[in-house]
Amino acid sequence: MGTTVLDPVVLRPVTDTDDAFLLALYGEIRAAELDQVAWEPGQREAFLRMQLDLQTSQYRAAHPQGSFDLVEVEGRPAGRLYVSRRPDDIRIVDVALTAEFRGRGIGGALVSRVIDEATASGRSTSIHVEVHNPAARLYQRLGFRPVARRGVYVLMERSPS
């Protein structure tokens, strides 16, 4: 898949050169949780690497038809958007932005783009959201509704109409 532009946001496939950024992003996303633990030197970084590698392999195994894109804003890495395109549904597997780029409408624009693609093809859009994730409000504003709870996650769906 090629590069996609949402001026000034660019999506491009993740490559091995993005590894350090993706690890830093993952660490930022999990910081509040991980800050509660007293880590030995190097232990936190090793844990993050292990968890990110596991998550990545699970995402790719569960969504072999998925697109795994890096989000760039004005040429700088800003986040990731992982999407699985299935016959009846387009699943947002993961969308995450660094703190620097949150609150600027980028996440909403990315999700809206996926919704537009799903709607144009007559498919629903779905996403799993952690129960206490404040982004759930954004998804509700964009027409997603909770349909199931799985552990700490809520499956939210949006019909194609």
Side-chain angles (χ1 to χ4, degrees), residues 57-75:
S57 65
Q58 287 178 336
Y59 281 170
R60 289 188 180 272
H63 305 283
Q65 73 288 10
S67 61
F68 299 87
D69 292 320
L70 191 82
V71 178
E72 292 181 336
V73 177
E74 298 171 351

Side-chain angles (χ1 to χ4, degrees), residues 21 24-25 28 77-80 96-102:
F21 169 77
L25 174 63
E28 183 180 312
R80 64 185 188 183
L97 297 169
T98 63
E100 177 183 359
F101 293 100
R102 286 184 216 132

Side-chain angles (χ1 to χ4, degrees), residues 6-61:
L6 275 166
D7 191 25
V9 178
V10 174
L11 294 177
R12 64 160 178 79
V14 167
T15 68
D16 291 342
T17 62
D18 300 316
D19 190 57
F21 169 77
L22 292 171
L23 183 61
L25 174 63
Y26 189 73
E28 183 180 312
I29 293 165
R30 306 261 324 257
E33 173 188 357
L34 297 176
D35 287 347
Q36 298 177 39
V37 176
W39 300 93
E40 294 294 324
Q43 197 176 30
R44 181 176 175 144
E45 294 75 16
F47 177 79
L48 283 169
R49 164 58 54 207
M50 180 185 67
Q51 291 292 298
L52 177 61
D53 289 349
L54 179 63
Q55 181 188 66
T56 300
S57 65
Q58 287 178 336
Y59 281 170
R60 289 188 180 272

Side-chain angles (χ1 to χ4, degrees), residues 3-4 32 45 50 56 84 92 94 104 131 133 149-150:
T3 301
T4 304
E45 294 75 16
M50 180 185 67
T56 300
S84 181
I92 299 170
D94 193 10
R104 295 170 48 179
V131 173
N133 186 337
R149 180 152 179 187
R150 297 182 178 132

Side-chain angles (χ1 to χ4, degrees), residues 128-133 146-156:
H128 279 102
V129 183
E130 286 187 10
V131 173
H132 300 293
N133 186 337
V147 295
R149 180 152 179 187
R150 297 182 178 132
V152 298
Y153 294 96
V154 174
L155 176 63
M156 300 182 79

Side-chain angles (χ1 to χ4, degrees), residues 105-127:
I106 296 167
L110 291 169
V111 172
S112 292
R113 179 180 168 271
V114 175
I115 291 169
D116 291 347
E117 177 186 346
T119 301
S121 62
R123 293 180 277 182
S124 61
T125 314
S126 62
I127 187 169

